Amino acid sequence: MIIECSYCKAKVDGKILKEHEKSLESNEGPLAVKIILLECPVCKNALVAQQEFWPTLSGRYKWTDVTRVWPNPEKQLDWSIPIMIRTPLEEAEKCYRNGAYNACAVMVRRALESICIKHGIKVKSLKGGLKKGLEELLDRGIIDNKIYRWGEELRKSGNIGAHEKGKKISKEDARDILDFANAICDYVFVLTNKFSNFMYRRQYMERK
């Protein structure tokens, strides 16, 4: 099982020592989670990984790629981020880990487009494309001015990665691009959803 060893700082074919699978009851998240104990074939240290059973964009279900959860856990996307946005974000992370920094920026741009589409904004048919899509998100109060500025810079970086030959996205910029993209998704989906649940509980208690 291919995993990045946090000790060797390299991808290895980990030896599976033990697996534990748990089914979940959730309409918002994966149907099952698998926890895997692995041994690095190089340094012989133990690694703990996780896989989730998620629907794909085609509607089929499959196990996600392995994510290291111990030691030094890799960042995992929250379940409340829709699959159509999770997918390009996960692809962007893969591109980053493999040194494809321009491709990382392009996939982040695609994630931004998917956020617009999720909110009913057809960026492909808009004159001005993603730029106009981000402006509409701002006008509708889905994002604020700070998030809009972040999105604009990510859009420009995605354009460099896709269209401007000879220009390269640095490793440092690619990491920042990913971090800002994750923060935007946390703002739009995760925190917004948590705040809605918080207000629902508060209003429910006030009615009692």
Side-chain angles (χ1 to χ4, degrees):
M1 180 170 283
I2 304 302
I3 188 172
E4 185 174 339
C5 177
S6 57
Y7 301 99
C8 299
K9 306 298 182 184
K11 288 187 176 180
V12 297
D13 188 4
K15 178 183 177 182
I16 298 175
L17 302 177
K18 195 72 175 179
E19 293 185 7
H20 174 73
E21 185 176 325
K22 180 180 179 181
S23 298
L24 302 175
E25 295 182 6
S26 173
N27 293 325
E28 301 297 330
L31 292 181
V33 171
K34 187 186 295 182
I35 304 297
I36 309 147
L37 176 62
L38 300 159
E39 179 186 87
C40 174
V42 179
C43 66
K44 305 302 180 182
N45 278 304
L47 304 165
V48 180
Q50 179 173 302
Q51 282 183 298
E52 298 172 351
F53 198 57
W54 273 92
T56 64
L57 290 175
S58 65
R60 297 181 180 180
Y61 283 78
K62 71 172 187 178
W63 288 103
T64 61
D65 292 337
V66 174
T67 301
R68 188 182 67 248
V69 295
W70 185 87
N72 301 320
E74 299 176 72
K75 179 177 175 59
Q76 292 180 281
L77 298 174
D78 193 275
W79 294 357
S80 58
I81 299 174
I83 186 66
M84 65 185 297
I85 294 130
R86 288 176 62 93
T87 299
L89 280 180
E90 289 169 350
E91 290 297 319
E93 187 68 45
K94 290 179 189 176
C95 291
Y96 175 81
R97 290 200 300 266
N98 287 283
Y101 305 127
N102 279 34
C104 172
V106 172
M107 294 311 299
V108 164
R109 190 186 193 282
R110 188 169 297 176
L112 292 180
E113 291 176 346
S114 297
I115 292 173
C116 292
I117 294 168
K118 182 66 178 177
H119 289 89
I121 304 169
K122 299 179 180 179
V123 291
K124 298 294 185 182
S125 62
L126 286 175
K127 186 178 180 180
L130 180 57
K131 181 176 178 62
K132 290 295 182 183
L134 291 171
E135 289 175 359
E136 188 167 337
L137 290 177
L138 177 62
D139 291 341
R140 288 166 53 182
I142 296 168
I143 59 176
D144 62 14
N145 281 292
K146 180 180 288 187
I147 299 298
Y148 170 76
R149 286 180 57 199
W150 293 0
E152 260 294 277
E153 292 307 313
L154 299 188
R155 179 187 69 81
K156 293 174 184 176
S157 297
N159 287 345
I160 291 173
H163 305 301
E164 298 189 24
K165 294 182 179 180
K167 290 191 176 183
K168 292 185 177 181
I169 303 290
S170 69
K171 179 180 181 179
E172 294 77 12
D173 284 353
R175 185 66 260 171
D176 287 343
I177 287 166
L178 264 175
D179 288 344
F180 283 126
N182 288 327
I184 289 172
C185 287
D186 285 345
Y187 178 92
V188 174
F189 298 105
V190 182
L191 295 178
T192 298
N193 185 54
K194 285 186 177 180
F195 185 73
S196 295
N197 290 338
F198 167 73
M199 291 303 297
Y200 176 82
R201 291 194 305 271
R202 172 172 285 186
Q203 291 166 7
Y204 174 78
M205 292 304 295
E206 287 176 351
R207 289 196 299 267
K208 290 184 69 174

